[in-house]
Amino acid sequence: MKRSKTAALLLMSTAPLLLSACDRSESASREGLYTSVEACVAQTNDSATCKQAFDKAQKDAATTAPRFANREECEAKYGKEQCAERNDGASHSFFGPLMTGFFLSQMLRNGSPMNGFNSAPAFRDSNGGWQQPAPGGAGVYRSGAGTAMVPINATADRAVTTSRSGFGRSGSSRGVGS
Amino acid sequence: MRRIALAERPDWRSKAAECGFGFHTIDDAPYWDESAYYAFSLREIEHDIEAPSEELHAMALDLLDGIVGNEQQLRQLAIPEPYWDWIAQSWRERQPHLYGRLDFAYDGSGPAKLYELNYDTPTSLYEAAFFQWQWLEDQLARGQLPPGSDQFNSIYESLVEAFGTIARGIARPFHFAAVRDSVEDQGTIAYLRDCALQAGIDCGTLAIEDIGVSADGRFTDLDDRVIGCLFKLYPLEDMFRESFGAYLPRSGLQLIEPPWKALLSNKGILPLLWDAHRGHPNLLAAEFDDGSELPRGWVRKPLHSREGANIAMHLVDGRELRTDGPYRDGPCIRQACHPLTAFDGHYPLIGSWIVGDRACGIGIREDRSLITQDSARFVPHAIVEEARGVLVA
């Protein structure tokens, strides 16, 4: 079959909502970004999981960190002294940022963590922004050559708005989409 | 590929109203038109449209590594210099993208020919993904289509899957923005937001005119929250020119579609594709326009023209067609003229949807003219296997 099996609408439809399959309490998760095993233990009180998550993240960092041809390019993005030479085991050497933190996420059931965890290395760029490697290309995305990095979400900031309407001059009632 | 007349569903207008399809009629002219449909064979869909769409998509993305470091090409694409590094960075980081639409001339004979890539602000998404799908299900249930008829349309499933895949890479708060007074654009972002919510992503909507900027150059919503990620159904090249554009590169704002889409949603990509893959069966010869007289057999298109505006077409038989529009100044390309084929006096253009990197469906818009404009109507399609073997009378 070349078409979707269903085509549900959530908010656009005036019909009653029939999406009841996902029980929110089952899918809760806990996620943290930690700069050390100690910081992780302080928050989760689970030293075994924190240590394992750190070790796995460090191992993954060697393969998933962004790669640069030389130290200068890497330091331009991640800051002075924040890059190390690595190689891929086949005598190709390159530079990549040092892992500066790690992610730990666990599924929760009734508020308690379940067995198993996901962890991933995190890197801090020279602007202070945290990033992690994007999930591998699969499904609707093909796997690309370089590792994609994605921003790590922090709590939303607020800022006093000084001006509005700086976008939209080209708009019309027929829209601008194509 | 055939155009087949079919009675409308008697209740389609009330269904449209129930499902938030507020733009089936635009400025008193019909836009959704189910008085006919296009029937394709599975082979036509898979061999002639789906496979070439994925191939062309990959070919276009493969050009980007070269373009971001090539000053000459960035100038040919009319990308303003202050945005070069920002665009290049967005590509090096592979900032997530969501969707795009390839427009093809195709009539069931010979290869589909690529007219252009709508890779920044494509619309006609809701009607292709949802309302067209519902039309097929309804007409099957009413016995109006051959049993077993199908449709090339997993756009909805692909959108939800794509949002799920990029969910962790989307900075929060996440807003969908479009021009306030455009019912069509607002309907498109309402549908995209619906799909994002179904993927479990918390998100809101915002008029593009309501976006604010703070003293330190960050973009804000109406609650003065700093916007993390903005899906903007608004052309990147217009944002570049407008007064807030200068803040973009240092604002920290994540965009979907990402900045690197400015290189693809640009008719300048067509000559670059042609140069890299001269003679490819799905490409038309293309070159940058030097402003000289347009010879027979060529079409002139502004780099950023939308909805068939400001197109000049010089047919092989000497006839000349021109459309008006707002894109009078600025660079153009030329493309070999490959006119659409008429079906009962209508000229269908195939929009082939790419979600993530997957070709996942089509929507057909047909116009009375060889140049598809915003007067075009959306006509549904079905995959219908040709009758074979014994005919039972």
Side-chain angles (χ1 to χ4, degrees):
Chain A
M1 195 160 88
K2 303 289 285 182
R3 69 183 188 277
S4 300
K5 288 179 199 65
T6 64
L9 292 175
L10 203 56
L11 296 185
M12 287 186 86
S13 172
T14 56
L17 189 58
L18 294 173
L19 280 180
S20 56
C22 36
D23 180 347
R24 293 280 159 200
S25 66
E26 289 286 318
S27 60
S29 66
R30 177 172 76 189
E31 191 171 77
L33 168 64
Y34 307 104
T35 51
S36 67
V37 173
E38 292 70 28
C40 175
V41 175
Q43 178 137 49
T44 64
N45 210 15
D46 183 351
S47 61
T49 301
C50 287
K51 181 73 173 70
Q52 286 172 38
F54 175 85
D55 290 344
K56 179 174 172 298
Q58 195 151 53
K59 193 156 143 274
D60 290 348
T63 51
T64 60
R67 299 179 174 197
F68 297 88
N70 56 59
R71 185 181 295 276
E72 290 69 34
E73 279 182 30
C74 182
E75 290 192 342
K77 174 89 182 138
Y78 289 95
K80 279 252 168 291
E81 316 278 315
Q82 291 302 311
C83 294
E85 187 166 5
R86 298 211 171 97
N87 75 65
D88 60 7
S91 75
H92 298 113
S93 74
F94 53 90
F95 289 84
L98 299 168
M99 177 173 113
T100 41
F102 67 100
F103 250 110
L104 167 62
S105 66
Q106 290 171 287
M107 299 297 281
L108 298 180
R109 177 167 288 162
N110 301 325
S112 307
M114 293 161 66
N115 285 334
F117 64 88
N118 274 313
S119 73
F123 305 91
R124 199 165 191 196
D125 68 24
S126 52
N127 296 326
W130 287 93
Q131 302 173 325
Q132 67 180 109
V140 291
Y141 292 96
R142 67 173 179 160
S143 44
T147 302
M149 298 297 285
V150 300
I152 292 171
N153 307 311
T155 318
D157 292 341
R158 281 181 187 274
V160 177
T161 302
T162 51
S163 127
R164 294 199 192 273
S165 306
F167 286 132
R169 188 161 53 82
S170 314
S172 75
S173 65
R174 261 325 289 268
V176 290
S178 44
Chain B
M1 176 179 174
R2 291 172 296 151
R3 188 180 193 276
I4 300 173
L6 183 68
E8 297 182 352
R9 293 167 291 167
D11 58 348
W12 76 261
R13 283 182 178 79
S14 61
K15 290 205 159 167
E18 280 164 23
C19 297
F21 189 11
F23 53 100
H24 57 73
T25 305
I26 302 177
D27 297 339
D28 297 325
Y31 169 58
W32 171 264
D33 182 355
E34 60 176 73
S35 64
Y37 71 99
Y38 283 89
F40 295 85
S41 69
L42 186 60
R43 184 184 156 79
E44 286 171 338
I45 290 290
E46 293 189 334
H47 184 267
D48 293 347
I49 296 172
E50 183 179 15
S53 295
E54 294 208 342
E55 185 186 357
L56 292 170
H57 173 76
M59 282 160 50
L61 260 56
D62 286 343
L63 290 181
L64 292 176
D65 275 335
I67 298 173
V68 296
N70 186 321
E71 191 179 321
Q72 189 207 347
Q73 290 182 346
L74 290 166
R75 288 191 197 285
Q76 284 178 316
L77 295 172
I79 307 292
E81 196 167 338
Y83 300 99
W84 289 359
D85 288 345
W86 178 62
I87 289 170
Q89 177 87 2
S90 78
W91 172 242
R92 274 189 226 108
E93 293 174 0
R94 298 294 189 272
Q95 286 179 12
H97 64 117
L98 182 67
Y99 76 147
R101 195 189 72 228
L102 303 115
D103 283 348
F104 286 115
Y106 179 69
D107 64 4
S109 67
K113 297 288 188 184
L114 178 70
Y115 270 13
E116 62 183 53
L117 303 177
N118 287 292
Y119 264 38
D120 183 22
T121 59
T123 52
S124 76
L125 178 72
Y126 166 86
E127 45 277 41
F130 180 79
F131 210 66
Q132 170 177 237
W133 182 92
Q134 198 181 53
W135 166 85
L136 186 97
E137 295 287 334
D138 287 349
Q139 296 290 38
L140 274 173
R142 297 175 70 231
Q144 298 297 305
L145 289 170
S149 291
D150 198 2
Q151 193 171 73
F152 181 33
N153 182 11
S154 63
I155 303 169
Y156 160 77
E157 286 177 345
S158 300
L159 283 169
V160 175
E161 184 184 339
F163 274 120
T165 307
I166 64 177
R168 287 182 64 176
I170 296 176
R172 308 298 201 280
F174 177 33
H175 289 302
F176 288 84
V179 173
R180 189 196 322 275
D181 293 330
S182 166
V183 181
E184 193 178 355
D185 290 3
Q186 288 291 337
T188 303
I189 62 165
Y191 183 62
L192 283 164
R193 179 179 179 230
D194 206 287
C195 292
L197 288 167
Q198 292 184 48
I201 300 175
D202 186 30
C203 49
T205 56
L206 184 70
I208 200 93
E209 296 90 341
D210 282 340
I211 293 171
V213 76
S214 64
D216 58 353
R218 291 181 297 165
F219 291 104
T220 56
D221 65 16
L222 287 170
D223 294 327
D224 275 4
R225 289 186 302 166
V226 176
I227 302 171
C229 180
L230 185 74
F231 176 95
K232 37 98 265 98
L233 192 66
Y234 196 76
L236 282 163
E237 69 271 11
D238 289 339
M239 298 179 89
F240 295 169
R241 286 188 286 111
E242 296 183 1
S243 64
F244 280 1
Y247 296 109
L248 283 167
R250 276 167 297 279
S251 66
L253 178 69
Q254 179 186 11
L255 287 180
I256 297 177
E257 298 298 312
W260 55 264
K261 283 289 188 95
L263 308 173
L264 298 179
S265 187
N266 181 315
K267 291 183 187 65
I269 198 69
L270 298 166
L272 299 181
L273 270 172
W274 179 251
D275 283 347
H277 301 276
R278 204 165 273 264
H280 189 285
N282 299 110
L283 292 177
L284 294 166
E287 61 192 39
F288 287 95
D289 183 55
D290 60 6
S292 62
E293 196 186 329
L294 190 65
R296 285 185 182 202
W298 287 85
V299 181
R300 180 184 286 132
K301 302 178 171 183
L303 290 191
H304 292 124
S305 153
R306 280 170 164 73
E307 301 284 2
N310 301 92
I311 306 288
M313 186 179 279
H314 197 171
L315 293 156
V316 176
D317 64 14
R319 277 187 297 154
E320 292 187 65
L321 301 177
R322 264 171 216 283
T323 54
D324 282 337
Y327 307 99
R328 279 178 293 275
D329 310 316
C332 296
I333 62 136
R334 287 176 182 183
Q335 190 179 48
C337 187
H338 179 89
L340 297 172
T341 302
F343 288 71
D344 306 332
H346 306 280
Y347 296 97
L349 178 71
I350 314 267
S352 176
W353 288 97
I354 302 279
V355 173
D357 299 309
R358 177 196 293 160
C360 60
I362 57 171
I364 299 170
R365 285 171 310 142
E366 56 170 39
D367 212 330
R368 289 277 180 183
S369 144
L370 278 175
I371 301 173
T372 309
Q373 295 177 264
D374 59 11
S375 49
R377 285 158 296 106
F378 190 102
V379 180
H381 83 279
I383 304 172
V384 178
E385 281 311 298
E386 303 295 331
R388 43 170 194 259
V390 188
L391 254 180
V392 181

